Amino acid sequence: MKLIYKYNADGLVTGTDVVTDDYQLTTGETFTLPPAGLNTPLKYDVTVNKFTGADVPEVFTQGPVVGPTNEQESLTAIAQQMAAQQQHIASLEQALTALAQGGNNS
């Protein structure tokens, strides 16, 4: 088994794959391994059979924080109102039960 590097028309490395020892390379593939320590993204120069790395390491930044939509905020508010009403109903049921039990004792 051998490791190949795949690259696009601009030489930018797009991935790797493991192939059989008798695998025949197609356009955009090489058996050449890049030297250790290169910064990504990697580029392959087919004319000199050599990899180069970026001058500065590629840094991935997190995208902007997205808040809830108006619909999500409305649904949350409705759910909170329903929970408050359910608590109020439970409290009223307890009060009625207490009154009913007190009314039976007199």
Side-chain angles (χ1 to χ4, degrees):
M1 301 302 276
K2 291 183 179 180
L3 178 67
I4 62 169
Y5 278 80
K6 297 180 179 189
Y7 56 91
N8 63 18
D10 296 324
L12 189 65
V13 173
T14 58
T16 60
D17 204 357
V18 176
V19 296
T20 60
D21 289 335
D22 60 347
Y23 181 80
Q24 297 295 310
L25 292 173
T26 61
T27 303
E29 299 176 337
T30 183
F31 288 122
T32 303
L33 299 176
L38 291 180
N39 293 322
T40 56
L42 295 175
K43 279 190 115 176
Y44 178 71
D45 186 343
V46 69
T47 58
V48 292
N49 193 31
K50 181 179 176 183
F51 283 93
T52 57
D55 294 334
V56 179
E58 187 174 28
V59 177
F60 294 99
T61 56
Q62 185 176 357
V65 176
V66 178
T69 64
N70 289 340
E71 182 180 7
Q72 290 169 330
E73 287 177 348
S74 295
L75 289 172
T76 300
I78 290 169
Q80 289 172 343
Q81 289 172 358
M82 288 178 65
Q85 287 175 348
Q86 287 172 343
Q87 286 178 346
H88 186 67
I89 290 168
S91 173
L92 289 173
E93 286 174 343
Q94 287 176 348
L96 284 172
T97 301
L99 280 173
Q101 289 174 352
N104 289 338
N105 291 338
S106 36

